Amino acid sequence: MTYRNSKTILGLTIAIALPLAAQPPGGGRGGPPPNPKAAAPIDLTGYWVSIVTEDWRYRMVTPAPGDYQSVPMTQAAVKIADAWDPAKDEAAGDQCKSYGAPALLRIPEHLHITWQDDQTLRMDTDAGKQTRVFHFGNSKAPEGPHTLQGDSVAEWEVQGGGRGRGGAANGTMKVTTSNLKAGFLRKNGVPYSENTNLTEYYDLVKERNGDTLMVVTIVVVDPMYLRESFVISSHFKKLAGDTGWNPTACSARW
């Protein structure tokens, strides 16, 4: 038997031995691929509460004017932040400038995540009463005016063995957001521009005590106000129900 024939036979043997269960639901021959909801490798739905374990003084209280530590700001950004005046934002009806997508998950809050339809995941926050919509595949709505939450496109990332980015169990949801309205990365006026691009990775972690945590890695790129990518992470604990859910309006001061 030649080497080439041996490889062919071995390949056929492996292919036949693969269990049918390894094929994705609906993805076999003759069937359409599963929709994003059916194909979800992780379940992000339900109620979640923030776990603030880092940057406490920037997240639990309004940072003092001029306290921009750890943000790689350009000089143009520093100039804008130094002129921050919450009274002016309130007078202009801009109380929600620190509730845009790049900063929203840094606010202490509860989240409610649901499937809006088979192609669209929805996230509501009780802090600021904001709504984000994650469009999978070709379901993305046409871009319109710049908004606080922008236009978000989502995709599932699953590598060999059913694991996601960095070995996260089961998979990862990657979200890219553009078409953002300018806002604040921090409550004390640290700005981001409308040219900002946001990339997020949503992973689930199972704790030994049975708790489920959602870890969101947030990457903000803004050539106008950031010297380099601003990378942070936020943690949320899954709740059994809506305990603590308390929708409140945006605040320019906190």
Side-chain angles (χ1 to χ4, degrees):
M1 182 181 297
T2 66
Y3 175 69
R4 179 178 297 177
N5 288 338
S6 298
K7 289 183 65 178
T8 300
I9 294 172
L10 178 60
L12 289 173
T13 302
I14 293 174
I16 293 171
L18 287 175
L20 293 177
Q23 298 181 14
R29 290 184 179 180
N35 60 55
K37 180 180 179 180
I42 53 176
D43 182 12
L44 298 174
T45 62
Y47 286 91
W48 303 82
V49 64
S50 300
I51 299 177
V52 181
T53 56
E54 61 178 7
D55 292 340
W56 195 94
R57 79 173 192 261
Y58 301 119
R59 299 175 62 187
M60 297 302 294
V61 297
T62 301
D67 187 355
Y68 316 134
Q69 186 175 334
S70 78
V71 184
M73 299 165 64
T74 63
Q75 286 303 311
V78 173
K79 183 176 180 180
I80 289 176
D82 284 346
W84 170 66
D85 184 348
K88 289 184 178 180
D89 290 335
E90 290 169 345
D94 283 336
Q95 297 95 325
C96 291
K97 289 181 75 171
S98 61
Y99 293 77
L104 186 60
L105 297 186
R106 301 298 283 169
I107 300 171
E109 63 194 340
H110 290 76
L111 309 177
H112 185 209
I113 301 177
T114 56
W115 282 99
Q116 184 167 290
D117 54 49
D118 289 347
Q119 306 283 337
T120 313
L121 197 65
R122 171 180 173 137
M123 175 192 291
D124 292 292
T125 72
D126 62 353
K129 302 179 183 179
Q130 298 297 304
T131 297
R132 295 187 64 187
V133 180
F134 306 133
H135 302 278
F136 284 81
N138 297 321
S139 67
K140 179 178 180 294
E143 290 190 358
H146 290 259
T147 63
L148 277 175
Q149 306 310 330
D151 295 318
S152 297
V153 178
E155 61 180 302
W156 297 119
E157 289 191 342
V158 181
Q159 300 174 0
R163 305 189 77 81
R165 186 185 63 90
N170 302 318
T172 299
M173 182 176 74
K174 177 183 178 182
V175 178
T176 55
T177 302
S178 58
N179 209 37
L180 287 159
K181 181 180 178 180
F184 294 154
L185 288 174
R186 283 185 180 161
K187 205 77 170 183
N188 60 345
V190 176
Y192 63 86
S193 74
E194 342 184 284
N195 297 319
T196 294
N197 284 293
L198 171 67
T199 304
E200 298 162 290
Y201 300 90
Y202 291 73
D203 294 304
L204 294 186
V205 176
K206 194 74 171 180
E207 295 286 87
R208 291 184 178 180
N209 64 0
D211 289 344
T212 299
L213 301 184
M214 179 170 65
V215 181
V216 187
T217 304
I218 303 164
V219 183
V220 183
V221 177
D222 182 2
M224 183 175 294
Y225 292 139
L226 293 174
R227 292 180 282 104
E228 58 189 54
S229 299
F230 182 44
V231 183
I232 48 181
S233 63
S234 292
H235 300 71
F236 298 85
K237 176 183 174 181
K238 191 164 192 176
L239 301 174
D242 63 356
T243 301
W245 179 259
N246 181 31
T248 54
C250 299
S251 170
R253 300 174 188 270
W254 186 251

